[in-house]
Amino acid sequence: MPYPIADLHCDLLSYLSKIPKSSPFDKEQIACAIPWLLEGKVKLQVMAIYTDVQKGSMVSATKQAHIFEDLLQRYPDILHQVNLAFLENFSQKSEIGILAAIENAAGIGDEQASWKEIYPQFDALLKSVGQFAYISLTHHTENRFGGGNYTEGIGLKEDGKRLLDYMAGKRIPIDLSHTSDLLAEGILSYVDRHRLPIPVMASHSNFRSLWDHKRNLSDEFAQEIVHREGIIGVNFLRAFLDDKVPERLFDHLLYGIQLNENAICFGADFFYTADFPDPSRHPFYFPVAAHAGKYPSILEKLSTSATVPQLKKVAYENVVRFYQKIWN
Ligand SMILES: [Zn+2]
C-alpha cells in the first residue's frame, strides 16, 4: 500500500528527554524511531509533550519543546514543521512532517503554579513548537484542570475552564483521549454553553463497545466527536485493543469506519516501554503493529474489508482535512 501515513500520537519527545544518550534513530529502543517512520511512509507524525502530574512538569515540557525544535533544526532533510503549506500536495511529500501536542496540561501548569506563570508558559511552549496539534487536560490521574481517565467522579474544574477559555480561538483542538467520562462531558458542555471555538478530537483511543476499557471511547463520546467533525486516532496498544487478539486492531479500525469514515485515522501511541514497571503490559504491541514500519502491511490487511477511498481516508486524508479546516 503506497499511501502516505498521518499519525496522531507518539512519545518520541519524552523518550529523548528522559533517557540519557537516546537517539531518534534507535530502532531497537523505540517503535517510532525515525527509520521506522521512514519505512512506514509516515509523512505526518504528532509528537506528544508528555508530563506527569508532579513538580517539575513545566520544566519537563519546556525541555521537550526544545527537543522538538532541535529535531527540526538538526535534520532539515528528513523532518519538516507541519503547517498549512506542508499539507498542500501532502501525498507527494518526501519529508516527515512533525507537529507537537500537549499530553497532560501539567506541562502548561503544575499544581502550584499561579496563572501569572501558566499563561506565559502556554505562550512560550506554543511559540517554541509553532502550533499544538491538540491539548489534553489530563493523563491517567487527577490534576488541577480535571479528572484523568482512571479517576472516578472528577470532571472539569475551574482551572480547566480557564484553560479552555485561553485555548479558544487559537485553532487548537481539545483531546478527549485521557479524560474521565465526567471530564469529557464537562468539556463538551462547557464548550457548547460558551460557544467556544475549540475543535474536539480523540488522538489515541479505541472503542469501548469492542473492548471495555476506561481508555477507550464510549459510543456516546465517539459520536459527539463525529458530530463535531472531529477525528479519532486508533491506538495500537495491546491493552486497549483486546490484550489477546491481534486482529482486534482491524475490528477497531473497521468499527470506526462504520461509525464515520471521515473521522477515523491512526493514533498508534508508540512509546519507550523498556522501563515500564507492570510486567503484564509486556509486550505492549502485537507483532502486526509492533512499530511504525508496519503501516503498509496494516493497510494491506485492512484492504480486504475496506474500499480504496476508505483506506486513503484512514491513512492520511482525514487528518490532513481536519487540520486544513482548523488552520484555514
Ligand atoms: Zn496517552
Side-chain angles (χ1 to χ4, degrees), residues 103-121:
E103 183 176 33
N104 197 349
I108 298 173
D110 64 30
E111 297 299 285
Q112 285 79 37
S114 72
W115 281 92
K116 270 192 178 147
E117 297 164 301
I118 293 174
Y119 290 133
Q121 169 73 354

Side-chain angles (χ1 to χ4, degrees), residues 73-120:
Q73 268 164 20
R74 234 187 251 218
Y75 311 110
D77 299 337
I78 307 174
L79 302 177
H80 199 285
Q81 170 89 42
V82 177
N83 51 24
L84 212 43
F86 184 84
L87 296 179
E88 259 182 57
N89 305 316
F90 180 79
S91 56
Q92 279 123 55
K93 286 289 179 287
S94 56
E95 308 99 333
I96 301 167
I98 62 172
L99 190 56
I102 301 291
E103 183 176 33
N104 197 349
I108 298 173
D110 64 30
E111 297 299 285
Q112 285 79 37
S114 72
W115 281 92
K116 270 192 178 147
E117 297 164 301
I118 293 174
Y119 290 133

Side-chain angles (χ1 to χ4, degrees), residues 7-47:
D7 180 272
L8 289 179
H9 197 91
C10 82
D11 288 283
L12 191 65
L13 298 177
S14 68
Y15 162 67
L16 293 174
S17 80
K18 76 177 176 181
I19 305 298
K21 294 185 187 159
S22 52
S23 157
F25 292 90
D26 196 340
K27 289 170 78 171
E28 301 301 317
Q29 291 300 312
I30 187 153
C32 57
I34 289 172
W36 289 132
L37 298 178
L38 292 169
E39 191 174 317
K41 298 191 173 65
V42 177
K43 300 293 175 199
L44 190 162
Q45 180 64 64
V46 176
M47 298 188 174

Side-chain angles (χ1 to χ4, degrees), residues 107-174:
I108 298 173
D110 64 30
E111 297 299 285
Q112 285 79 37
S114 72
W115 281 92
K116 270 192 178 147
E117 297 164 301
I118 293 174
Y119 290 133
Q121 169 73 354
F122 185 110
D123 295 345
L125 289 172
L126 184 55
K127 187 162 182 247
S128 170
V129 301
Q131 182 57 297
F132 297 141
Y134 49 83
I135 294 174
S136 80
L137 295 187
T138 54
H139 193 245
H140 295 332
T141 62
E142 176 182 0
N143 65 20
R144 65 187 292 160
F145 304 104
N149 51 262
Y150 289 137
T151 65
E152 294 287 348
I154 305 163
L156 181 65
K157 299 185 186 177
E158 286 310 310
D159 281 346
K161 294 176 185 172
R162 197 156 168 179
L163 192 58
L164 287 171
D165 289 340
Y166 198 62
M167 283 170 67
K170 294 189 169 71
R171 302 161 188 243
I172 302 165
I174 186 80

